[in-house]
């Protein structure tokens, strides 16, 4: 099984190989077109990150994590988000499998099956696809290092929120939390991801066969996608009372402001990264 490397076009700034955190600064001033493009891309990232973090935080809150909810939810959301955007077409296929499995199971077995069964079924299906199907584009060996970077920066930002919230007179709003996490966590990720990738190579995380790494990545992302479908649809069809049902209902109340906060924080962070000449990391 072979995985030829996909060449990048030198004419595209997004597709240029990542050679450092900060690009060389020229005297031409800020590129407003690229800043706007990067702001839009990061707003979309924030729009997808917000429901993931919100659902995880409601689950951990229900499990009694207290202020540690910020750490656990931000760390996992950061790791999953990094894997999602790092795996590219593999992530799209895995997410599609997870959504299809989640919807299919809900349609046929909504009252006879638990959410964990849905997650495991989707993960198994996507993992099997990863083991048996050869993807012709770039191998996803870099994804474990990116996930490590997202996990670490997410835990750091979540830890900061966990430390300062007890001294705040009111509970943090969903808008403020997501604006902070998407912007600060994103910037820290861009700054540190190269170091985490080098650590991943030293730990031989990238020495495994490509199809094994892709299978694990696909299984993880498909399971998350299937669980997300369950969280979003659960309250609408009143299934599985208990922790998942209450967390899902609470998540629905917070989603609108969380998405707005994620989009705002992402847009601001993306434009600032471009203004200060931070490199894109899509092809790292």
């Amino acid at each position: 099984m072979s995985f030829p490397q996909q060449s990048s076009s030198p004419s595209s700034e997004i597709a240029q190989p990542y050679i450092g955190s900060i690009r060389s600064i020229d005297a031409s001033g800020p590129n407003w077109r690229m800043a706007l493009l990067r702001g839009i891309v990061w707003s979309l990232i924030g729009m997808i990150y917000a429901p993931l973090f919100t659902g995880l935080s409601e689950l951990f809150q229900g499990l009694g994590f207290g202020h540690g909810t910020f750490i656990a939810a931000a760390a996992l959301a950061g790791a999953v988000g990094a894997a999602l955007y790092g795996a590219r077409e593999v992530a799209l296929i895995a997410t599609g499998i997870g959504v299809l499995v989640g919807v299919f199971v809900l349609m046929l077995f909504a009252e006879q099956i638990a959410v964990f069964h849905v997650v495991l079924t989707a993960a198994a299906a996507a993992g099997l696809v990863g083991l048996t199907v050869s993807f012709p584009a770039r191998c996803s060996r870099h994804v474990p290092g990116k996930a490590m970077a997202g996990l670490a920066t997410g835990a750091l930002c979540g830890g900061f929120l966990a430390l300062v919230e007890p001294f705040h007179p009111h509970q943090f709003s969903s808008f403020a939390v997501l604006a902070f996490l998407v912007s600060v966590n994103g910037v820290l990720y861009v700054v540190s991801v190269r170091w985490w990738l080098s650590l991943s190579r030293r730990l031989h995380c990238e020495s495994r066969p490509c199809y094994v790494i892709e299978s694990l990545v696909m299984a993880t992302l498909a399971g998350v996608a299937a669980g997300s479908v369950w969280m979003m649809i659960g309250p609408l069809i009143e299934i599985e009372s208990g922790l998942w049902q209450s967390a899902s209902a609470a998540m629905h109340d917070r989603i609108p402001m969380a998405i707005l906060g994620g989009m705002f924080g992402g847009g601001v962070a993306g434009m600032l990264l471009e203004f200060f000449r931070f490199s894109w990391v899509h092809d790292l």
Side-chain angles (χ1 to χ4, degrees):
M1 183 177 297
S2 62
F3 298 87
Q5 296 290 321
Q6 186 180 30
S7 61
S8 300
S9 171
S11 62
S12 171
E13 184 171 357
I14 297 179
Q16 289 176 358
Y18 180 63
I19 56 176
S21 296
I22 304 179
R23 302 195 302 268
S24 59
I25 299 178
D26 54 40
S28 61
N31 187 332
W32 289 96
R33 177 178 171 276
M34 287 304 300
L36 180 60
L37 173 61
R38 199 164 187 176
I40 292 173
V41 170
W42 275 65
S43 290
L44 294 175
I45 292 173
M47 182 177 67
I48 299 174
Y49 176 95
L52 177 60
F53 170 81
T54 304
L56 288 171
S57 64
E58 291 297 339
L59 285 174
F60 287 123
Q61 190 71 39
L63 290 172
F65 276 57
H67 292 294
T69 294
F70 286 123
I71 302 174
L76 287 181
V80 172
L84 180 65
Y85 298 110
R88 297 190 293 187
E89 70 269 23
V90 172
L92 292 175
I93 296 171
T95 302
I97 293 173
V99 171
L100 288 175
V101 170
V103 171
F104 181 77
V105 171
L106 278 172
M107 290 173 57
L108 297 182
F109 310 105
E111 297 180 358
Q112 293 84 28
I113 197 168
V115 62
F116 294 108
H117 299 139
V118 180
V119 171
L120 291 176
T121 301
L128 183 61
V129 171
L131 287 173
T132 57
V133 178
S134 175
F135 296 98
R138 180 184 181 187
C139 180
S140 300
R141 287 193 176 95
H142 58 293
V143 173
K146 287 190 171 185
M148 290 166 60
L151 184 76
T153 56
L156 182 63
C157 293
F160 175 79
L161 290 175
L163 286 174
V164 300
E165 190 188 39
F167 301 99
H168 195 266
H170 305 288
Q171 184 179 10
F172 288 147
S173 69
S174 297
F175 181 93
V177 169
L178 268 300
F180 172 81
L181 286 176
V182 174
S183 57
V184 178
N185 189 6
V187 171
L188 291 177
Y189 172 82
V190 171
V191 171
S192 64
V193 65
R194 190 182 184 191
W195 183 86
W196 283 102
L197 282 172
S198 65
L199 176 62
S200 175
R201 295 187 187 100
R202 291 197 298 270
L203 295 175
H204 305 291
C205 295
E206 300 185 10
S207 63
R208 304 295 183 268
C210 189
Y211 66 90
V212 173
I213 295 175
E214 288 182 337
S215 177
L216 293 174
V217 171
M218 290 184 68
T220 300
L221 295 179
V224 170
S228 299
V229 169
W230 195 276
M231 289 283 288
M232 294 299 295
I233 300 178
L236 303 179
I237 57 179
E238 298 181 353
I239 56 174
E240 194 180 353
S241 60
L243 173 62
W244 280 86
Q245 180 74 4
S246 59
S248 181
M251 172 183 149
H252 275 254
D253 293 335
R254 295 177 54 192
I255 279 292
M257 294 306 297
I259 290 178
L260 287 177
M263 294 181 67
F264 174 79
V268 171
M271 295 185 72
L272 290 176
L273 285 170
E274 185 60 34
F275 287 149
F276 286 96
R277 311 296 190 191
F278 281 83
S279 297
W280 294 75
V281 295
H282 292 72
D283 286 342
L284 179 59

